Amino acid sequence: MTKEMRAADLVAHRLYEAGCRHAFGMPGGEVLTIIDALEQAGIEFVLCKHENAAGFMAEGAHHVTGAPGILVATVGPGAMNGVNVVANAHQDRVPLIVLTGCVDADEALTYTHQVLDHRAVFDEITKATFTLTAQGADIIADKAVGIAREGREGPVHIDVPISVADENVSPQLRRRPPASVTAPIGPDLQLAQDWLGAAERPVIIAGLDVLKDGSAPVLQAFAEARGIPVVTSYKAKGVLPETHELSLGGAGLSPLADKHLLPFVQSADLILCVGYDPIEMRPGWREIWDPSQTRVIDIAAVPNDHYMHQATLNFVADTGATLVALDAAHTPVTWDGGEVAALKLALSAAFPLDDVWGPGAVIDVCNRMLPDDAIATADSGAHRILLSQMWTCHHPKGLLQSSALCTMGCAVPLAMGAKYADPSRTVVSFSGDAGFLMVAGELSTAAEHGHNTIFVVFVDASLALIELKQRGRQMANRGVDFGRHDFAAIGEAFGGHGHTVTNRAELEAALTAAQQADTFTVIAAVIDRQGYDGRI
């Protein structure tokens, strides 16, 4: 490339090369050039109402396209509004490119209005942070894309000075090829193959790296060849279709599910941690096995520095390539006592589908009435624990959520971002009423772009999970209840459709209408207080 371009154009073109087609954020004078460059490169800028929601929309788009998400924020308060979602991307392993505008360095020496050190703020919650330079713009952009994607994925921040964005340059383009896929070799691989061949009760715990490596088909073939049951983290739900006889669903947050899953895992004679990242898990999953007594093989993108568990063998490698390398010629008979089928029956009984009404009934109706390829999103709260156990994922990334940082207010914008990336897909978000109120203003964004996203709100006028913990500690009810609001009317006020439902038939009718609607729909499902008691 010899033609002169603005430094901002070089960044935009590299992001377009990476597959990015949408950027989300709020403009300010300091980012006008970068927004113009993104649009000219073919990346649509979507005006949101808050930077935190914009970042979650960017994540939702990433989960559909596989390309890095893009968050754009202006100087000072704009950038700071994005701190939560950037921290979320760091913990939830989301490749998010964060573009912030900043005052030129010389100007900042005497002009202090809204000026602060963005890089110092983002340093602890990103994989890397850069200040754009004109001559280095292409290199910085290529580094940002590579770092965001390599190893365990995560956010990268680029601070863009006003004058640098506009400076014309004609650099030599540099592109670092991605690293080759790695797989183990040598004596440890032979030992792992021997263990696999001898195992009578093996179990797989699969996690986020399977998604990053695109190895779900390899995992399924590997599990089927040996009859190995598969437990997943919540974000890895669907790497093995959850209708499969070997799927044991998601784990890590529900004490009710763990009551059945933990003893099963502890009864295994070989545990294969395939891309398992325990940042999603709770203390109940800490050191649940002794690697000196149980054979444990850890296959991960990075070395174990979490110490949530230890392994007998550690492979830092691609999950799919490692499973292929482990493939042994013989297929032993495993779990021949009917234990897997019995566990699946116990889990089904623990999360019944036949409630007359309540949060379980809402999830059941939505699961039945929406297509198998629908994308669902879940906000943080009691409903997420129940949903993560009851929602059936037929494909990877069928249920999107904040499962590491567990930040509230994520479900609505995650759903909107997924819908932007693929308007043809049915997308439904599940929020508690408190989480929905945090981001209700983004309904205006949904209305402006005409997408018929479905927003289901569990209405019980309480922070149900916190209230449940409060009662569990025999504390008085304080600071968890709030007024009841007409969420259907809120949806209509922003230009969408609204339904209030109090039983299965009303919900079925609302979902039928929502799937045929010309714009978004808010469905307010009114449930009893304490409706989650004994269910999560």
Side-chain angles (χ1 to χ4, degrees):
M1 181 182 295
T2 57
K3 177 184 175 183
E4 280 201 344
M5 304 175 70
R6 296 172 298 180
D9 293 318
L10 292 170
V11 174
H13 276 265
R14 181 64 188 95
L15 294 175
Y16 186 87
E17 281 182 27
C20 304
R21 295 297 181 268
H22 295 90
F24 302 84
M26 291 196 72
E30 297 78 13
V31 292
L32 292 180
T33 299
I34 196 72
I35 291 172
D36 182 69
L38 290 169
E39 288 274 357
Q40 290 198 36
I43 299 173
E44 178 189 1
F45 176 75
V46 179
L47 171 62
C48 305
K49 306 307 177 285
H50 194 281
E51 290 82 358
N52 196 57
F56 279 115
M57 289 186 209
E59 178 184 342
H62 153 71
H63 288 307
V64 172
T65 67
I70 304 175
L71 168 63
V72 180
T74 193
V75 68
M80 296 306 97
N81 277 346
V83 166
N84 181 296
V85 74
V86 176
N88 182 84
H90 193 46
Q91 291 203 15
D92 276 46
R93 318 311 191 193
V94 178
L96 181 68
I97 305 299
V98 184
L99 303 173
T100 59
C102 67
V103 173
D104 295 333
D106 288 339
E107 182 78 356
L109 293 173
T110 57
Y111 181 78
T112 57
H113 175 67
Q114 290 189 321
V115 173
L116 71 157
D117 190 340
H118 293 164
R119 291 187 61 186
V121 173
F122 287 115
D123 182 63
E124 287 297 313
I125 55 173
T126 58
K127 294 183 71 177
T129 178
F130 301 95
T131 298
L132 195 72
T133 65
Q135 294 301 321
D138 178 72
I139 297 173
I140 289 171
D142 193 58
K143 280 188 175 186
V145 170
I147 293 170
R149 286 174 155 175
E150 67 192 8
R152 287 235 162 100
E153 295 179 314
V156 175
H157 167 241
I158 304 175
D159 217 17
V160 183
I162 299 170
S163 64
V164 170
D166 279 310
E167 188 170 337
N168 289 327
V169 290
S170 52
Q172 175 186 352
L173 297 186
R174 294 175 175 84
R175 295 291 179 267
R176 179 171 61 85
S180 298
V181 169
T182 58
I185 58 173
D188 281 353
L189 176 61
Q190 182 62 58
L191 182 58
Q193 290 173 333
D194 292 344
W195 288 356
L196 182 62
E200 297 178 352
R201 300 183 309 281
V203 65
I204 290 171
I205 305 177
L208 279 167
D209 292 348
V210 175
L211 298 174
K212 188 259 183 183
D213 296 341
S215 57
V218 179
L219 174 70
Q220 180 169 342
F222 184 89
E224 289 175 341
R226 291 159 187 80
I228 304 178
V230 178
V231 180
T232 70
S233 66
Y234 281 171
K235 274 209 164 181
K237 274 171 65 71
V239 295
L240 180 67
E242 292 189 313
T243 52
H244 197 287
E245 63 182 359
L246 294 172
S247 173
L248 299 177
L253 187 55
S254 166
L256 185 56
D258 289 350
K259 176 183 176 183
H260 301 280
L261 289 170
L262 286 172
F264 181 84
V265 171
Q266 290 167 334
S267 73
D269 60 1
L270 175 65
I271 300 171
L272 290 154
C273 298
V274 183
Y276 169 46
D277 182 354
I279 196 169
E280 293 188 75
M281 308 302 259
R282 295 302 177 271
W285 283 78
R286 182 189 294 139
E287 296 185 329
I288 63 170
W289 55 73
D290 181 349
S292 68
Q293 302 297 318
T294 303
R295 292 168 175 173
V296 181
I297 302 172
D298 209 353
I299 308 164
V302 297
N304 175 349
D305 60 6
H306 52 72
Y307 277 66
M308 274 280 284
H309 69 258
Q310 291 300 322
T312 327
L313 285 176
N314 282 288
F315 296 128
V316 179
D318 180 90
T319 53
T322 302
L323 292 178
V324 171
L326 279 173
D327 206 10
H330 56 286
T331 303
V333 175
T334 63
W335 297 104
D336 58 356
E339 298 93 340
V340 176
L343 176 57
K344 288 177 71 71
L345 284 174
L347 287 168
S348 296
F351 298 94
L353 304 176
D354 58 356
D355 297 353
V356 174
W357 186 240
V362 173
I363 295 167
D364 177 51
V365 172
C366 292
N367 224 345
R368 287 189 294 100
M369 293 203 59
L370 299 178
D372 288 350
D373 69 345
I375 297 172
T377 68
D379 212 339
S380 287
H383 71 281
R384 180 171 80 92
I385 302 175
L386 192 60
L387 187 77
S388 295
Q389 299 302 141
M390 294 183 64
W391 189 260
T392 303
C393 287
H394 301 268
H395 54 86
K397 299 190 176 183
L399 179 62
L400 309 179
Q401 54 186 289
S402 170
S403 57
L405 193 63
C406 295
T407 189
M408 286 180 67
C410 69
V412 166
L414 276 172
M416 292 172 63
K419 191 70 172 179
Y420 275 112
D422 188 353
S424 68
R425 294 276 288 277
T426 298
V427 181
V428 57
S429 84
F430 294 94
S431 303
D433 38 12
F436 187 84
L437 288 170
M438 286 183 173
V439 292
E442 294 299 342
L443 294 179
S444 62
T445 310
E448 289 157 6
H449 293 269
H451 295 149
N452 65 337
T453 315
I454 304 169
F455 303 107
V456 176
V457 186
F458 293 88
V459 181
D460 57 6
S462 178
L463 299 173
L465 181 59
I466 309 306
E467 190 272 340
L468 182 61
K469 292 179 179 180
Q470 202 171 51
R471 279 189 287 123
R473 295 179 62 183
Q474 297 182 329
M475 291 180 168
N477 182 298
R478 292 190 176 96
V480 293
D481 295 339
F482 48 90
R484 287 186 177 271
H485 305 286
D486 190 339
F487 291 93
I490 291 173
E492 292 173 347
F494 277 103
H497 303 287
H499 303 269
T500 298
V501 299
T502 58
N503 56 55
R504 285 176 175 262
E506 290 174 351
L507 177 55
E508 290 172 358
L511 288 169
T512 299
Q515 292 181 78
Q516 301 168 355
D518 56 351
T519 186
F520 74 86
T521 298
V522 175
I523 300 176
V526 180
I527 60 175
D528 290 339
R529 282 177 175 270
Q530 305 178 3
Y532 298 96
D533 286 13
R535 297 302 310 273
I536 57 177

